[in-house]
Amino acid sequence: MSKIAIVTDSTAYLPKAFVDQHNIQVVPLKIHWDDTTYKDGIDITASEFYKKLTKASTIPTTSQPPVDEFLQIYEELAADYDGIIVPLISSGISGTVSSAKTAATMFSEVPVEVIDTRSTAAGLALVVKAIAQGVVDGKNLISTKQLAEDVVQQLDLFFAVDTLEFLHKGGRIGGASRYFGAALSIKPILYLNDQGKIDSLEKVRTKKKAVEKLIELAVEKAAGNPVHVGIMHANDLEEAKYIQKQLISQLECRESELYEISPVIGTHVGPGTLGIGVYPEAQKS
C-alpha cells in the first residue's frame, strides 16, 4: 500500500491533535512586525496576535515560505514515504504555491503533487481533512490528488470583514475595492473566486445581517445535499459558535468544525472577521 505524506501551510490552522494524528507537515508563513519576524502559529498564536493587533500602531506584513523550506521537508519525507501531496493557500493571495512547485522541480526522489486549493483558512482545512481521510483509506497519490481536486472544485469560501482597512493596506483587497471608503456600517460579503482571489459578493448594513447572509450562502451551496463545513473566525468565537449552531440545525453536516483564523490571514482581514468554507458531498450515482 502507498505511503503518502501530507504537507500544508500554517493558514489552515488545523488543531495540533489532528496534525499529529496524521503526521502532517505544516510549513509556516511569516509575519513581519516592526523589527520582529514571527513564524505563523509557532512564534505567535492567534490569541496573542489579535491581542497585540488591537493595541498596535502599525500593521504587520506577511511573506510566503522560501523554496528551501519546502525542499528540506520533501527530502526528509522521502525516507519514509513514496509520495507527497501538498495542499496550500490560494495562489491568488500568496506565493506559497509557487515556492512549493519550484521546490518540487528541484526534487526527484519521490513524486510530489502540489495542490492550489484556491482557498485558505477553513477552506484549506477542509481540503486537508479530505486528503487525510483519503490517505487513511489507502488511496495512492494519483487518487488522492483527484480527491483533492474534486473537493477544490466544489468548495466555496465566504467571509465578512468588520473593515476593509486591513485588506487594503495588505494589498489583498482585489474585487472588494469597490466597497472601500463606504460607510463604516457597511459589512461587505466577500469570497474567493475561481482564480482564488478575493472578490465581492454584496454588502449588508450590520454585522448581524452579515452573519445571516453567510448562513444563507452555505444553505444555498448545500442545495439539500449533505455538506462539509468549516466555520472560521478572527477573535470572535461566540459568533462563530452561533453560525455553527445554525448550520447544524439547517443542514445535514458531515462535519462542522470551528477554526480560528491564523495570524497571517488575520493580518489581512482583521479582527472580527467571520467566514464559512463549504462543499457538498459527492452524490453516488
Side-chain angles (χ1 to χ4, degrees):
M1 186 173 73
S2 299
K3 287 194 68 179
I4 309 301
I6 304 170
V7 179
T8 191
D9 67 76
S10 58
T11 69
Y13 221 66
L14 291 156
K16 185 179 185 302
F18 181 84
V19 170
D20 292 345
Q21 178 186 353
H22 296 278
N23 195 29
I24 297 169
Q25 303 301 301
V26 179
V27 184
L29 277 71
K30 308 291 195 309
I31 301 154
H32 310 284
W33 210 336
D34 298 326
D35 297 325
T36 305
T37 294
Y38 302 93
K39 292 181 180 178
D40 190 27
I42 296 175
D43 299 327
I44 188 167
T45 65
S47 57
E48 291 168 344
F49 171 79
Y50 292 116
K51 185 176 181 180
K52 181 177 171 69
L53 188 64
T54 57
K55 299 177 181 178
S57 58
T58 57
I59 293 177
T61 60
T62 61
S63 63
Q64 69 209 51
V67 171
D68 59 3
E69 280 192 39
F70 281 104
L71 187 57
Q72 181 180 345
I73 288 174
Y74 297 164
E75 289 170 345
E76 290 171 355
L77 291 171
D80 299 308
Y81 295 89
D82 49 33
I84 304 170
I85 189 162
V86 193
L88 297 170
I89 181 176
S90 171
S91 63
I93 55 175
S94 172
T96 304
V97 164
S98 178
S99 290
K101 286 185 173 180
T102 299
T105 66
M106 301 164 63
F107 177 78
S108 58
E109 293 176 54
V110 299
V112 176
E113 294 288 353
V114 178
I115 306 293
D116 180 356
T117 67
R118 303 197 296 276
S119 193
T120 189
L124 174 56
L126 287 172
V127 178
V128 175
K129 289 185 75 175
I131 287 171
Q133 186 58 54
V135 171
V136 168
D137 292 343
K139 292 183 181 294
N140 62 26
L141 185 61
I142 298 304
S143 297
T144 306
K145 177 188 177 185
Q146 185 62 57
L147 168 68
E149 290 178 344
D150 288 346
V151 172
V152 168
Q153 191 66 29
Q154 292 295 318
L155 177 67
D156 273 321
L157 186 72
F158 305 107
F159 61 105
V161 296
D162 263 359
T163 171
L164 288 170
E165 174 191 2
F166 294 92
L167 284 170
H168 177 67
K169 289 186 175 179
R172 303 300 200 281
I173 194 165
S177 60
R178 72 189 69 173
Y179 296 148
F180 189 69
L184 292 177
S185 59
I186 294 298
K187 302 300 178 188
I189 306 297
L190 308 174
Y191 71 107
L192 290 182
N193 63 25
D194 290 344
Q195 290 77 47
K197 296 182 178 181
I198 294 171
D199 212 336
S200 57
L201 202 59
E202 63 178 270
K203 56 186 178 181
V204 295
R205 293 202 168 272
T206 65
K207 186 161 188 176
K208 181 179 179 182
K209 288 183 178 179
V211 167
E212 296 306 323
K213 184 61 183 179
L214 290 173
I215 294 167
E216 179 186 321
L217 287 166
V219 172
E220 288 176 1
K221 177 70 176 180
N225 297 308
V227 289
H228 298 255
V229 296
I231 302 96
M232 62 186 190
H233 72 96
N235 203 33
D236 201 347
L237 179 59
E238 289 309 307
E239 286 284 14
K241 286 181 176 178
Y242 171 79
I243 293 171
Q244 182 185 43
K245 183 178 179 180
Q246 291 300 311
L247 292 179
I248 289 172
S249 70
Q250 296 182 45
L251 299 173
E252 185 181 347
C253 296
R254 293 293 190 242
E255 58 181 312
S256 59
E257 299 295 328
L258 296 173
Y259 297 97
E260 200 163 14
I261 293 175
S262 82
V264 157
I265 299 301
T267 294
H268 298 290
V269 297
T273 296
L274 293 160
I276 300 173
V278 55
Y279 73 92
E281 194 163 89
Q283 298 301 294
K284 297 177 181 178
S285 55

